[in-house]
Amino acid sequence: MSAMAEERRQKHCSVVLPTESMKAMAESVGVGQLQEDSCVALSEEVSYRIKEIAQDALKFMHHGKRRKLTTSDIDNALKLKNVEPLYGFQSQEFIPFRFASGGGRELHFYEEKEVDLSDIINTPLPRVPLDVSLKAHWLSIEGMQPAIPENPPPATKEQQKVESTEPLKVVKPGQEEEGTIQGKGQGTTTPDGKGKEKGLIRLKPRSTHELSVEQQLYYKEITEACVGSCEAKRAEALQSIATDPGLYQMLPRFSTFISEGVRVNVVQNNLALLIYLMRMVKALMDNPTLYLEKYLHELIPAVVTCIVSKQLCLRPDVDNHWALRDFAARLMAQSCKTFSTTTNNIQSRITKTFTKSWLDDKTQWTTRYGCIAGLAELGPDVIKTLIIPRLAIEGARIKAVMEGPVISNIDKIGAEHVQSLLLKHCASVIAKLRSPPDNVEQYRTEYGYLGPMLCSHVMKARTQAALQAQQVNRTTLTITQPRLRATAAQANRRPRTPSIIKVPSSLTLMSPRPGTPSQPSPPATKYIVMATSAGAASTQQVILVITLSSSQSASPVTSTVPSATSTLQPLVKLEPGSGPGLTASRPLQKYIVVSLPSSASSSLETKSSVLPTSISSSSLDGGMKLERSESPGASTQSPH
Amino acid sequence: DTSLAKQKTDIKTEPSTDGFGNNNANDGRVLSASPGSGSSTGSNKQTAAVTPEDQQTLLAVLQFLKKNKLIESVEILRREAGLPENSLDPKATESAGAGSGGAAAVAEDQPDVRVVLSAYSQQGDPTLYEVYYSDLKKFIETVLDCHRAELSQVFYPLFVHMYLELVYNNHESEAKAFFEKFSGDQECYYEEDLRVLSGLTKKEHMRGNETLLDFRTSKFVLRISRDSYQLLKRHLQERQNNQIWNIIQEHLYIDIFDGMPRSKSQIDAMSGSLAGEAKREANKTKVYYGLLKEPEIELPLDDEDEEAENEEGKPKKKKPKKDSMGSKSKKQDPNAPSQNRIPLPELKDSDKLDKIMYMKEATKRIRLGSDNLPSVCFYTFLNAYQGLTAVDFTDDSSLIAGGFADSTVRVWSVTPKKLRKVKSAADLNLIDKESDDVLERIMDEKTASESKIMYGHSGPVYGISFSPDRNYLLSSSEDGTVRLWSLLTFTCLVAYKGHNYPVWDTQFSPYGYYFVSGGHDRVARLWATDHYQPLRIFSGHLADITCTRFHPNSNYVATGSSDRTIRVWDVLSGNCVRIFTGHKGPIHSLAFSPNGKFLASGATDGRVLLWDIGHGLMMGELKGHTDTIYSLRFSRDGEILASGSMDNTVRLWDVMKAFDDLETDDFTAATGHIHLQDNSQELLLGTYTTKSTPVIHLHFTRRNLLLAAGAFNP
């Protein structure tokens, strides 16, 4: 018996409707003062009956062959009990579950609007829904599931992964890819290791992946578009590669196409085509349904070629082959991140390859650039351990080219690029390694020729980080009609924000006077908005406190609060009084931004007034409370 | 033909009373109790001495007798029991006042209920319950391993009865504490029941809760070896633990066997049902599971057919096939019932034609096996808006019927032949009745369409079944009726009323004419299409009957239920001849193997169990599905079992291997203690996932192509 099951059981033993609900319901039907005892008795009885009805309703759901309990199931369950079913439970739109509290009581309710019948009668009839129809397709043909649009993609990413990592696992037809035949005859009697000694291991025979005519056409179209001249078509094709769920069977073709393409085009120095092919690799990697592990033996050499090849274009002095190297290096880093395991050791093997050719004195500047770019993309740790120790040596080499006698223009360009590459990648790492006072001389002694330049880059990096941190703090608050929905614009723009601020539930209205929602003049309210955003440099906690007086004059610049607060039923919690640090008696506008440093380097900033730390913690508590109050509303959303 | 029908009803009505007599222990709980039930319940209890409870029973019996105008019996009983004249009056008026049938049934049920519950009134000290229970628990935990598993079976029924006693005697807080303390110890498959139980905290709740009444009235059956039982008995007597001993004596039925105690896995395989395992003698009756002899029909060697396919040399092949078939049908299967054990309708000319078609198709059948899997054709219902509740195919796979939550029944033709109605009566008069193609002429070409809708039900349609001759369609619905539709006129012919509560499933007999239905009222009914009253009522299940299936020889009916048991009923006697336990959730699908020997069942627990009907044994367990199995079907040769589930998959299982692999000897056959192998993965031949369509029906065509159906669920 699992502990979890026990826990669950404990729970359903004790769930009883709160007596307050009984009171509220009694009031709603006109029974004023209900005794506490009666409330308890009622709530127990009602809870029992509701459970009983829910259990019966589940029966109807099961027999209706559904996973979702519907209102009609409840109606049918009521009918079983000889109770009149509830009427009018159809609604076109979603009815939100509202929450309100005031005067020490909390209420969850649905907003029930009065509906004018004539409105309903006069509205034009909705479109007639499509009629039920039958469609037949082959789910399986003699044990094989054909790859047609009606069937799900033949292999999910997990299955592909299992297949590539545990190829000996017994594969059942239907789960395996099309084209493989059960190799019963070829089975050998090796034990499986999982106690399946009895069964023969079905070795998957080598087989050609046969593509259907449609797939062949698709493949042709896509590959042509990817390397063709029309950029719009190419974008479409890449989009298709990156999103289409059914490409699994075409993967071997694509990977061969790419590897062959790179081979040919490197020889011909066709930069444009190489770029197109790398973009295909990127698209394949982006496709969430594909698992490329099996094809890395073709893809990695192609990508590495594009990083380190001596020559990638016809005119190395003019063409920007550096961008291709950067791009391919990023791809390499990404595949290392995704596929490197202790068994295939991709990352260490790649690192070794790069380092080896970098260390070689005869290596050309182009290859040198590629190696460094490839290493640098693997992350700050690699930069720290492999690149930074060699900065001095590399600096000397660059110096030799830059300041020595001009041998060739190409070398010079190469050296320049290597230099800027090193500066770009190392600066941010060094900025973190060293503590602030940046001394040019120190840098020179430590890093040699590149020292002074590094120093200025590091300083620039530091100021930039600080700037960014400030920008992160600037959170805009927009509140839109009619549901008081505030969204932090800044939070929306950043893809990596951990939580997007969602109002109503995470918004607190704090009133100085304990008022009820029905009060005509709304009290001054304070919104506390909290957002955690992971900036590039550090993680900041942003707390925004806005106080609104009842007259709309004092609203802060960054927020647009409609006058709706007075007319709308607030969806938000009204808390009488406020936190200990916030003076409730002042209905003045306050706009405080507190940034809580996650690392020691950033400092506490306040904009309008200095806040003692206790405030920030108390408002943090408020935020936590809000988080919790959000859950009942969410969990009791009506079944549609 | 009329004489035949008469004969049928004669046979039927006479033994039907027998049926009730044998099932009396359960009849009292039938919601809408039919007349027979009350009397038999009463007759059981008359012999007891007159204690206050018995008096109530007597009153109930009296009331029943009076209601059925058996005045003389009333007098005799009253005299014998020494009851005053007016004892019945207040109750009689009460029941007279309760107007409708349903309410009357409830009123009639009431005294019974009280009797049932009052047994709980004998009680000990409520605070000691925990002590008793934990004492027993401690004891069982310390016994030898081989006994522990067996004795642990006692925990769950004891727990429930002790809890109910506490609740009944108004010890609410003690009951709650008891529940919280020990509910976690119970096996996980009882969780559903515990959930029901946990909601019940007051004596008032117990009234009207059928599940509890069932638990109380039917003894929970445990199978325990003699050694283990002696151990338990000795312990309880030593400790003077009368409270528990009383419960064991009164509410538990301990089926003691001689021999080795069973292992934990053996016990787990068989337990899980609402009322424990089946008693051994419940599965002792002989079941004639063999097939009936096929009527001998001369297979005409029609030339057209041969010409069409003679490039493959069909005529040569056909000859030996036909012979083998003839010889097969000639030898009488010793396990088959006699040909006229159940009167079956005579074959019509059209039936004979169909049989010929069937045989022809059968010769083209693909032989399936683990290395020769069937193709699956999936019929997806689009735009069903979550409303598809039942599907059926005709045996020849030409029509599909769907039952919908919006009360409609729809029929589609999946062949190019469209659905046509018969012409109106006036037009039919104009037809030349002597012409050869009269059957073609009566059809109205103007009405041809690919699908037809039939309206009539007033609630979701949960069960649907074609008649073997494709002229009729049955549908059962939430509205409590089973409707018979004509597929010639596409109108409703009869509404069979009797269930009063939702009818979850219905199915035609493989020979037509009879059909079975089962529903929320926990009885299955056997009907004949030309009778508006049921011929048999199969009662005994403790919860809703969720699915019903006819045995291929039409002599037996299998029903699956929410009480997690499967019962097989004899159509002739109305007796329950098999009870299969082992599922851990409501059973939603059943399938007989084509040779009639085996039964497969699927439940909400996602497992398929295989049963040997002749021996009453569990034959295998197929694990793999992750959600309710709504459909099961054997291939035409019985080689492969297909299962369709809510988890959007169709799975194929090698059942021949499952049956062959099972090691059985005389002992296991006698005791039913089989060792199940955990070889589901080896038996699973294929899994086919749909995009987002739960599989709710499966059907093998006569050539062994698998058809599946379900509604797309976006």
Side-chain angles (χ1 to χ4, degrees), chain A residues 427-445:
Chain A
S428 59
V429 178
I430 291 175
K432 276 186 198 148
L433 282 176
R434 298 176 70 102
S435 37
D438 295 314
N439 188 326
V440 181
E441 281 315 306
Q442 254 181 22
Y443 272 80
R444 193 192 295 283
T445 50

Side-chain angles (χ1 to χ4, degrees), chain B residues 170-363:
Chain B
N170 288 323
H171 305 298
E172 205 180 309
S173 54
E174 283 94 345
K176 208 168 178 180
F178 185 78
F179 190 92
E180 271 170 25
K181 188 155 182 199
F182 299 114
S183 67
D185 298 346
Q186 309 306 328
E187 299 285 351
C188 48
Y189 38 80
Y190 292 121
E191 202 181 326
E192 280 296 303
D193 291 342
L194 289 175
R195 191 172 297 152
V196 176
L197 214 57
S198 71
L200 181 130
T201 50
K202 285 200 182 314
K203 190 177 174 181
E204 295 81 61
H205 296 159
M206 291 173 85
R207 208 155 282 149
N209 190 322
E210 296 112 25
T211 323
L212 292 175
L213 287 177
D214 290 334
F215 206 89
R216 176 59 193 83
T217 45
S218 57
K219 289 189 167 184
F220 196 95
V221 182
L222 302 169
R223 263 192 226 178
I224 292 182
S225 70
R226 190 170 297 283
D227 295 348
S228 306
Y229 179 70
Q230 295 294 355
L231 215 59
L232 177 72
K233 196 173 166 186
R234 214 175 309 134
H235 169 78
L236 290 175
Q237 279 168 353
E238 267 171 29
R239 291 299 186 96
Q240 306 268 304
N241 201 338
N242 286 331
Q243 197 65 36
I244 285 183
W245 187 241
N246 278 346
I247 291 178
I248 289 179
Q249 295 264 293
E250 267 181 51
H251 302 304
L252 268 53
Y253 179 96
I254 298 187
D255 198 358
I256 300 161
F257 62 85
D258 293 302
M260 285 274 291
R262 289 187 295 171
S263 68
K264 175 93 177 106
S265 65
Q266 277 177 320
I267 292 168
D268 277 347
M270 301 297 286
S271 53
S273 100
L274 193 66
E277 293 182 44
K279 295 175 194 168
R280 252 175 313 153
E281 64 259 35
N283 288 341
K284 283 278 183 264
T285 326
K286 174 152 177 65
V287 174
Y288 300 99
Y289 56 80
L291 300 185
L292 295 178
K293 215 162 63 174
E294 286 294 319
E296 279 174 53
I297 301 164
E298 277 176 45
L299 196 64
L301 288 163
D302 43 350
D303 301 326
E304 306 158 40
D305 197 50
E306 271 167 44
E307 267 165 42
E309 295 179 43
N310 69 1
E311 65 265 54
E312 287 171 51
K314 272 274 143 62
K316 269 181 204 162
K317 265 191 186 167
K318 209 179 253 173
K319 204 84 180 178
K321 267 266 164 61
K322 187 186 148 198
D323 281 350
S324 71
M325 233 170 227
S327 64
K328 199 171 141 194
S329 58
K330 257 168 219 152
K331 81 167 181 248
Q332 175 72 37
D333 185 345
N335 290 311
S338 65
Q339 209 65 12
N340 52 2
R341 189 167 177 264
I342 299 291
L344 293 171
E346 235 170 57
L347 282 183
K348 288 180 288 193
D349 285 348
S350 59
D351 295 332
K352 283 180 183 156
L353 276 175
D354 197 54
K355 277 264 174 340
I356 291 167
M357 277 304 293
Y358 174 79
M359 286 183 198
K360 269 191 206 156
E361 291 275 301
T363 58

Side-chain angles (χ1 to χ4, degrees), chain A residues 400-401 404-412:
Chain A
V401 177
V406 178
I407 307 157
S408 89
N409 193 29
I410 291 175
D411 274 355
K412 203 173 172 199

Side-chain angles (χ1 to χ4, degrees), chain A residues 1 5-6 8-10 12-14 16 41 44-45 48-49 51-52 55-56 58-68 70 73 76 79-82 129-145 148-153 172-175 182 184 196 198-199 202, chain B residues 172 179-180 183-188 191 194-196 198-200 202 204-205 209 370 373-383 385-386 388-389 400 404 410 412 460 462 478 501-502 504 520 544 546 588 604 627-628 630 646-648 650 677 681 684-691 696 705:
Chain A
M1 184 115 353
E6 253 171 69
R8 241 183 299 140
R9 214 173 284 156
Q10 299 289 330
H12 50 68
C13 177
S14 55
V16 171
E44 272 178 17
E45 178 66 16
Y48 173 72
R49 297 296 160 198
K51 279 178 199 171
E52 217 177 27
Q55 278 154 3
D56 277 338
L58 274 180
K59 259 181 210 172
F60 285 93
M61 180 191 81
H62 278 303
H63 283 283
K65 277 115 182 159
R66 278 175 279 114
R67 277 199 204 91
K68 216 188 233 169
T70 63
D73 292 332
N76 285 331
K79 254 163 95 182
L80 271 191
K81 299 250 172 265
N82 253 336
L130 290 170
D131 198 20
V132 185
S133 61
L134 257 188
K135 189 175 187 301
H137 75 270
W138 289 108
L139 185 67
S140 132
I141 296 169
E142 289 174 2
M144 303 295 162
Q145 190 157 29
I148 44 174
E150 287 86 352
N151 285 329
K172 299 283 177 192
Q175 291 171 337
Q182 270 176 252
K184 265 210 140 175
K196 278 180 191 158
K198 273 189 188 172
R202 292 165 189 173
Chain B
E172 205 180 309
F179 190 92
E180 271 170 25
S183 67
D185 298 346
Q186 309 306 328
E187 299 285 351
C188 48
E191 202 181 326
L194 289 175
R195 191 172 297 152
V196 176
S198 71
L200 181 130
K202 285 200 182 314
E204 295 81 61
H205 296 159
N209 190 322
S370 54
L373 296 178
S375 301
V376 187
C377 179
F378 203 101
Y379 285 94
T380 312
F381 286 78
L382 301 171
N383 311 316
Y385 306 103
Q386 300 247 325
L388 182 72
T389 42
I400 296 184
F404 290 86
R410 289 167 192 247
W412 280 267
Y462 290 118
E478 185 269 336
Y501 287 94
W504 297 130
H520 176 71
D544 299 31
T546 45
H588 273 276
T604 53
D627 210 332
T628 309
Y630 278 118
M646 198 67 195
D647 65 10
N648 302 346
V650 174
Q677 289 172 317
Q681 280 310 305
L684 179 63
L685 296 174
T687 304
Y688 308 100
T689 312
T690 65
K691 252 185 175 164
I696 66 168
L705 169 73

Side-chain angles (χ1 to χ4, degrees), chain A residues 17-26 36 39 43 105-107:
Chain A
L17 288 177
T19 48
E20 287 85 56
S21 308
M22 293 301 118
K23 273 194 193 130
M25 282 176 215
E36 193 60 31
C39 277
S43 76
R105 288 177 66 179
E106 296 179 348
L107 266 183

